[in-house]
Amino acid sequence: MKTIIYMVRHAESPYTAEGTERTRGLTLKGKGNAAQITEILKDEGIHTIFSSPYTRAVLTLKGLATALGIDIQIMEDLRERHFSDDHIRDEEFMPASKRMFEDPDYALPGGESNTVCQNRAVYVFKQILEEHQGKKVAIGTHGHVMTLMMNYFDASYGFDFSNQTSKPDIYKLQFEGMELEQVIRLWEA
């Protein structure tokens, strides 16, 4: 029995100030892209929608939920990885991210390692697979946590994959039980 998971990376969001990680919404372009996501996914036969609690992930799938007449179920452990308690400058981000993929137990001060983030997100992901076997489910997510969930089932999804994803992005994952059989990118950046 095939289970289909649509991993939907959130649309463009304004990065404004510290402390807005959970609450920042979508840019004008992001809102337009969210409408495109609704058009792409509304006829796929999706039964259930889960999302990270972060506003940008929820807003990316809100139009789809409205079109399908279903509620978005918020799952705290689908949130993006917490990188650090310290401010990370743009020029520090890529080297730190690369190191985290090379050493999954490495973490910045106060942040989550890839291992910790992956464990919490995959735990929820497996529950979704078990409880919605044979169904089609959309998940509103973020770049790193999405990559780490996919990486759990196929190690080829790593640092390079994470860096080539776009905001937004959509990946259709086909599972047989807990085995990932196929991944198709539905978003054309």
Side-chain angles (χ1 to χ4, degrees), residues 15-19 21 24 80-98 100 106-112 144:
Y15 191 78
T16 50
E18 292 299 305
E21 194 57 19
R24 56 188 164 104
E80 180 62 292
R81 155 214 257 121
H82 178 65
F83 283 92
S84 176
D85 284 342
D86 298 336
H87 175 72
I88 304 168
R89 294 191 319 268
D90 288 345
E91 64 272 11
E92 297 172 319
F93 181 79
M94 281 304 203
S97 181
K98 184 170 190 199
M100 289 175 188
Y106 170 74
L108 293 169
E112 289 181 296
H144 275 260

Side-chain angles (χ1 to χ4, degrees), residues 11-100:
E12 185 179 87
S13 178
Y15 191 78
T16 50
E18 292 299 305
T20 61
E21 194 57 19
R22 283 186 172 264
T23 58
R24 56 188 164 104
L26 300 176
T27 63
L28 190 57
K29 178 183 177 190
K31 290 174 185 176
N33 288 153
Q36 289 176 274
I37 287 169
T38 298
E39 289 303 308
I40 292 168
L41 296 180
K42 71 180 183 181
D43 297 322
E44 288 287 316
I46 292 169
H47 298 91
T48 309
I49 301 175
F50 292 96
S51 180
S52 154
Y54 290 17
T55 302
R56 60 193 181 273
V58 174
L59 289 177
T60 299
L61 289 176
K62 186 174 174 143
L64 178 64
T66 300
L68 298 178
I70 58 179
D71 292 328
I72 297 174
Q73 299 178 51
I74 303 300
M75 303 292 281
E76 179 65 30
D77 284 341
L78 293 175
R79 70 189 178 277
E80 180 62 292
R81 155 214 257 121
H82 178 65
F83 283 92
S84 176
D85 284 342
D86 298 336
H87 175 72
I88 304 168
R89 294 191 319 268
D90 288 345
E91 64 272 11
E92 297 172 319
F93 181 79
M94 281 304 203
S97 181
K98 184 170 190 199
R99 183 169 174 196
M100 289 175 188

